[in-house]
């Protein structure tokens, strides 16, 4: 009997060594980790971040082996993983990778284990790569949020990021040194206890839940549970990814199941780096190309918010749903997804970074007033462009001011790998973003030390030394 998909993923996880990773995979893994930790630092005063910290303390207790980023707290592995997952995802500032967001789900448990066990930096980098590669491949096997059917963007009825539970579990069991057999059972357990895909409900209901598309802390804990149960001897469902009728594809709700891409060339052909992307704005990616060209246009012409008579945008096709159409800004997270609010906020040219989610900016009377002058429609070339390149987000912005109409267009947002080299977010730009997120949380000296360590993580002998620098 041939090995199942789960069993092969177990072999990939247990057999992959850091020394086998291509240089670009190691580099991208460092960039992802650096960006994610920065996003967590930027969220320590955010409402969602604060709740994550409080709950991490509640379930994790005191004097544990793992750090809650940006605090003085050391708590249990489970408590730290919950809090850090919530911190990474709170501002919607974290990295993007199919199926959507991956890092807030797969990193927290691995970081907590690596710190608790005093593991070397290269061991953590190894599992960052493993978990992102696995999550990317599973994401490609299932439904996409931006599916095009019959020439139109047609979001699936059930969608979400629950498939990241496999990558998250793989990272933890690899750090714990489980055999390929035990790893497979842990992955099988993970598939059976994965959170539901509630993403579409979140997009359809206003006011929306502030847990967003999938609670990062919950998935991180699910992965930790699966890893420990596999280690302790529980048997997992090794057939769950081979059975589209009764296995994971069915109960997770995907209508597309193309499993061949999960294992093809795995371990030799590293695919996640080609679509790994970063966010310069703490806002849903849909507005990023519009913000890029609008802000540049406003700065070039020195257009002030009070001069703007109207803003009209052509946006990507799947956003005509309540979460993005929402103009009721009752919570800072409402501002992360509202098209009208995001464009109004961008037009005010607040410093780009975590300040965008400061209540002073979110609820600024001028920002809220300008929202009524924002209109938008679907870009006519959206489906065509999406077929040509997965990072395509054709956008057009028209700003009426001073009796004129100022126009700007973009094809790709900043932060994505694309045919336009200028859209790639350099490591220097990620370092600047990290510094902005760390400001007011870490001292300048500690920030420098953290950056030095993360950029040279393969030579750090004990990852707990990095986490100590993140305590305040």
């Amino acid at each position: 009997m041939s090995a199942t998909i789960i069993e092969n993923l177990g072999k990939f996880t247990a057999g992959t060594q850091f020394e086998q990773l291509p240089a670009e995979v190691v580099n991208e893994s460092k960039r992802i980790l650096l960006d994610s930790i920065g996003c967590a630092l930027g969220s320590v005063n955010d409402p969602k971040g604060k709740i994550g910290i409080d709950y991490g303390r509640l379930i994790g207790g005191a004097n544990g082996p793992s750090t809650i980023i940006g605090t003085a707290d050391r708590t249990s592995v489970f408590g730290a993983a919950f809090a850090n997952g919530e911190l990474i995802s709170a501002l919607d500032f974290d990295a993007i990778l199919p199926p959507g967001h991956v890092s807030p789900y797969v990193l927290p448990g691995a970081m907590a284990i690596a710190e608790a066990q005093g593991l070397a930096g290269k061991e953590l980098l190894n599992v960052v790569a493993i978990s992102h590669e696995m999550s990317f491949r599973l994401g490609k096997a299932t439904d996409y949020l931006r599916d095009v059917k019959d020439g139109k963007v047609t979001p699936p009825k059930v969608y979400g990021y629950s498939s990241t539970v496999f990558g998250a579990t793989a990272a933890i069991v690899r750090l714990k040194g489980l055999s390929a057999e035990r790893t497979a059972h842990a992955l099988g357990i993970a598939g059976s206890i994965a959170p539901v895909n509630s993403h579409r409900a979140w997009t359809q209901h206003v006011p929306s839940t502030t847990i967003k598309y999938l609670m990062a802390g919950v998935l991180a804990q699910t992965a930790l549970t699966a890893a420990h149960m596999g280690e302790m001897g529980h048997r997992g469902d090794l057939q769950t990814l081979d059975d589209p009728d009764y296995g994971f594809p069915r109960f997770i709700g995907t209508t597309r199941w193309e499993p061949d891409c999960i294992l093809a060339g795995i371990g030799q052909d590293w695919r996640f780096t080609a679509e790994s992307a970063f966010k310069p704005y703490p806002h849903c990616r849909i507005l990023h190309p519009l913000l890029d060209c609008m802000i540049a246009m406003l700065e070039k012409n020195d257009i002030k918010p009070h001069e703007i008579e109207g803003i009209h945008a052509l946006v990507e096709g799947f956003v005509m749903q309540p979460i993005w159409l929402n103009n009721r800004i009752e919570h800072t997270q409402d501002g992360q997804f509202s098209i009208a609010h995001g464009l109004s906020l961008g037009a005010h040219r607040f410093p780009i970074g975590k300040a965008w989610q400061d209540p002073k900016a979110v609820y600024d009377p001028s920002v809220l007033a300008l929202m009524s002058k924002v209109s938008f429609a679907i870009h006519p070339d959206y489906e065509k462009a999406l077929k040509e390149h997965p990072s395509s987000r054709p956008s057009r912005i028209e700003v009426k001011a001073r009796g004129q109409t100022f126009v700007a267009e973009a094809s790709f947002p900043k932060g994505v790998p694309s045919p336009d080299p200028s859209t790639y977010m350099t490591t220097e730009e990620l370092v600047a973003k990290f510094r902005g997120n760390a400001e007011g949380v870490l001292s300048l000296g500690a920030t420098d030390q953290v950056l030095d360590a993360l950029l040279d993580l393969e030579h750090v002998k004990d990852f707990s030394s990095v986490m100590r620098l993140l305590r305040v």
Side-chain angles (χ1 to χ4, degrees):
M1 182 176 175
S2 59
T4 66
I5 295 174
I6 285 287
E7 288 173 319
N8 279 302
L9 289 176
K11 293 174 184 176
F12 163 67
T13 300
T16 299
Q17 305 294 325
F18 174 80
E19 290 72 20
Q20 299 172 323
L21 300 180
E24 64 270 19
V25 172
V26 173
N27 185 55
E28 196 63 13
S29 297
K30 286 195 285 187
R31 284 159 47 90
I32 288 169
L33 189 61
L34 180 150
D35 187 67
S36 300
I37 291 173
C39 290
L41 288 169
S43 302
V44 294
N45 293 313
D46 177 82
K48 181 177 172 70
K50 287 180 178 178
I51 293 173
I53 291 170
D54 288 344
Y55 191 68
R57 290 167 174 158
L58 177 66
I59 63 174
N63 301 316
S66 301
T67 299
I68 297 178
I69 293 171
T71 74
D73 295 293
R74 296 188 69 195
T75 186
S76 72
V77 165
F78 275 75
F82 186 97
N84 292 335
E86 291 299 286
L87 286 168
I88 293 170
S89 69
L91 296 182
D92 218 66
F93 211 5
D94 51 292
I96 300 292
L97 181 74
H101 290 273
V102 171
S103 301
Y105 307 116
V106 306
L107 292 181
M111 290 169 60
I113 290 288
E115 179 183 11
Q117 296 186 359
L119 300 177
K122 67 179 183 180
E123 295 185 65
L124 179 60
L125 287 174
N126 191 39
V127 301
V128 173
I130 290 169
S131 60
H132 281 75
E133 183 70 14
M134 192 180 297
S135 297
F136 175 79
R137 286 168 175 263
L138 282 159
K140 287 295 187 180
T142 56
D143 285 330
Y144 303 169
L145 185 58
R146 300 197 292 162
D147 269 335
V148 177
K149 295 180 180 178
D150 300 322
K152 296 292 181 183
V153 172
T154 308
K157 291 183 178 180
V158 178
Y159 180 77
Y161 305 148
S162 292
S163 61
T164 60
V165 74
F166 294 103
T169 303
I172 296 163
V173 295
R174 182 68 179 81
L175 292 176
K176 291 171 74 65
L178 270 63
S179 67
E181 180 182 5
R182 278 291 99 205
T183 296
H185 283 292
L187 294 174
I189 294 165
S192 296
I193 63 174
V196 298
N197 272 332
S198 60
H199 190 290
R200 279 305 301 275
W202 166 75
T203 68
Q204 299 302 307
H205 302 152
V206 174
S208 65
T209 171
T210 54
I211 69 166
K212 298 202 286 192
Y213 21 76
L214 175 60
M215 200 169 205
V218 169
L219 191 131
Q221 289 193 319
T222 301
L224 282 164
T225 297
H228 282 88
M229 292 303 98
E231 182 180 31
M232 292 177 179
H234 263 298
R235 184 171 62 196
D237 185 350
L238 302 182
Q239 301 174 62
T240 191
L241 294 180
D242 292 273
D243 187 354
D245 295 320
Y246 299 104
F248 185 82
R250 172 58 61 87
F251 62 72
I252 212 64
T254 185
T255 57
R256 184 219 311 275
W257 183 239
E258 299 174 358
D260 289 350
C261 67
I262 298 174
L263 297 179
I266 195 167
Q268 289 78 44
D269 180 14
W270 292 86
R271 300 178 179 177
F272 81 93
T273 58
E275 293 189 41
S276 177
F278 299 90
K279 299 177 76 170
Y281 306 98
H283 195 285
C284 181
R285 176 65 96 184
I286 59 162
L287 282 191
H288 285 213
L290 289 163
L291 291 168
D292 289 339
C293 54
M294 182 185 72
I295 291 172
M297 178 178 66
L298 296 180
E299 290 180 346
K300 177 181 178 181
N301 295 281
D302 195 25
I303 298 173
K304 303 294 193 299
H306 71 270
E307 297 179 289
I308 296 175
E309 301 162 22
I311 299 174
H312 182 67
L314 296 180
V315 299
E316 57 184 278
F318 77 94
V319 300
M320 296 303 175
Q321 301 177 68
I323 188 71
W324 292 286
L325 302 178
N326 176 40
N327 286 347
R328 294 168 55 184
I329 310 301
E330 300 174 354
H331 189 282
T332 55
Q333 289 198 5
D334 295 329
Q336 294 176 7
F337 303 96
S338 166
I339 294 174
H341 187 274
L343 290 175
S344 178
L345 190 63
H348 282 73
R349 289 187 275 163
F350 286 98
I352 297 171
K354 65 181 180 180
W356 275 36
Q357 291 303 311
D358 188 313
K360 292 179 182 177
V362 173
Y363 305 122
D364 183 284
S366 180
V367 170
L368 298 178
L370 185 57
M371 288 174 64
S372 64
K373 299 180 181 180
V374 175
S375 61
F376 42 88
I378 296 175
H379 197 291
D381 297 331
Y382 176 64
E383 283 86 359
K384 178 177 180 293
L386 185 58
K387 288 180 180 179
E388 294 174 354
H389 197 284
S391 294
S392 293
R393 280 182 160 90
S395 304
R396 177 183 171 92
I397 194 90
E398 301 170 0
V399 177
K400 293 183 178 180
R402 304 172 186 163
Q404 305 177 57
T405 299
F406 299 84
V407 179
E409 297 185 80
S411 298
F412 300 95
K414 178 68 176 178
V416 303
S418 81
D420 178 2
S422 70
T423 67
Y424 179 78
M425 205 157 176
T426 67
T427 299
E428 290 74 19
E429 289 171 322
L430 290 177
V431 166
K433 176 183 172 182
F434 184 99
R435 290 188 182 280
N437 278 324
E439 186 176 358
V441 183
L442 300 182
S443 68
L444 288 175
T447 299
D448 289 341
Q449 287 181 281
V450 172
L451 285 168
D452 288 344
L454 292 175
L455 292 171
D456 192 39
L457 192 58
E458 64 268 45
H459 297 117
V460 171
K461 294 183 179 180
D462 183 350
F463 181 68
S464 66
S465 67
V466 181
M467 296 303 290
R468 281 197 296 272
L469 296 171
L470 296 168
R471 296 180 207 145
V472 297

